Amino acid sequence: MIGFLKKDFFVLRKQLLTYAAILLIYAVVSVSGVWGPYVISAVVSLVTLMCPLSALSYDQMSRWDLYARSLPDGGRNAVLGRYVFTLLVCAASTAACILCSGVLAALGALAVSPLELVVNNLATGVVGLLMAAATLPLCYKFGTERGRVLMMVVFVVVFAALIGALALVDPSDGGGGSGGTPEMRLVAGIAALLVVLAVGLFYGSYRLSRKIYLAKDL
């Protein structure tokens, strides 16, 4: 499994650097006031979803599956490596966005509380995992082209719903204290439950993708 995991990182190393540059651009735009502070966290969902889809697309174009399935237990490890890769990318991008937002908030560029920053980035990380969990099995079943179409639909719907939910929380209420308002603490509790739910659904998605992958004729 480690070999499949390293392969994905090596294949996408340039793309990961591109996403890091996008994060810096979003940070500059947020400081300028053109977009709100929440736009930085959009990178989490973007990276979490696009990286595994790109890796899967490269595999299908190069017929990598033929080689992977020829290895001992290669089919199971190929899918497991892809899902572990997605989790690591989600965790790393979430941490990077929290760090970037925290630095900007400490410098006075973002008028939001630390709790709000963490909750917001965790929420977008959960959204990214859920979208990946919904999209990856369909990509294994029908191919990445149809999966990308579905990904765009899911991304627009879910991200619009997330922005609408965040708009219900007034950022100015939580900016003064480290604990935030009772509403923010409630949102934090809901976010924690959603993290657990997302991990459970992500594991179920892995089991489904593995079943589809092993049953597919190459």
Side-chain angles (χ1 to χ4, degrees), residues 148-168:
R148 288 180 187 276
V149 174
L150 175 65
M151 178 268 294
M152 293 302 298
V153 175
V154 173
F155 184 84
V156 170
V157 172
V158 175
F159 191 69
L162 177 64
I163 293 298
L166 291 174
L168 298 177

Side-chain angles (χ1 to χ4, degrees), residues 7 13 27 29 36 43 57 72 86 90 93 101 105 123 132 147 153 164 188 214:
K7 186 267 298 179
R13 59 185 182 277
V29 174
V43 178
S57 178
T86 305
C90 180
S93 59
S101 300
V153 175
L214 294 177

Side-chain angles (χ1 to χ4, degrees), residues 82-171:
R82 180 64 37 75
Y83 273 78
V84 172
F85 169 76
T86 305
L87 280 175
L88 291 177
V89 167
C90 180
S93 59
T94 301
C97 287
I98 290 176
L99 178 61
C100 182
S101 300
V103 170
L104 294 178
L107 295 175
L110 298 179
V112 290
S113 68
L115 175 61
E116 191 171 353
L117 289 174
V118 173
V119 169
N120 180 59
N121 285 283
L122 285 178
T124 51
V126 168
V127 170
L129 279 184
L130 291 176
M131 290 192 295
T135 307
L136 282 173
L138 291 171
C139 288
Y140 278 110
K141 180 67 175 180
F142 302 109
T144 54
E145 293 305 319
R146 294 181 182 178
R148 288 180 187 276
V149 174
L150 175 65
M151 178 268 294
M152 293 302 298
V153 175
V154 173
F155 184 84
V156 170
V157 172
V158 175
F159 191 69
L162 177 64
I163 293 298
L166 291 174
L168 298 177
V169 181
D170 186 2

Side-chain angles (χ1 to χ4, degrees), residues 37-50:
Y38 302 116
V39 74
I40 296 177
S41 61
V43 178
V44 179
S45 294
L46 175 67
V47 174
T48 302
L49 187 58
M50 291 302 299

Side-chain angles (χ1 to χ4, degrees), residues 20-38:
I22 291 175
L23 173 59
L24 293 177
I25 294 173
Y26 278 25
V28 172
V29 174
S30 296
V31 171
S32 68
V34 177
W35 291 336
Y38 302 116

Side-chain angles (χ1 to χ4, degrees), residues 4 65-82 140 206 209-215 218:
F4 290 102
D65 294 339
L66 290 173
Y67 173 72
R69 292 278 292 273
S70 68
L71 299 174
D73 210 14
R76 184 183 69 85
N77 285 327
V79 179
L80 179 60
R82 180 64 37 75
Y140 278 110
Y206 156 69
S209 292
R210 186 180 69 179
K211 182 178 180 181
I212 293 172
Y213 187 72
L214 294 177
L218 300 178

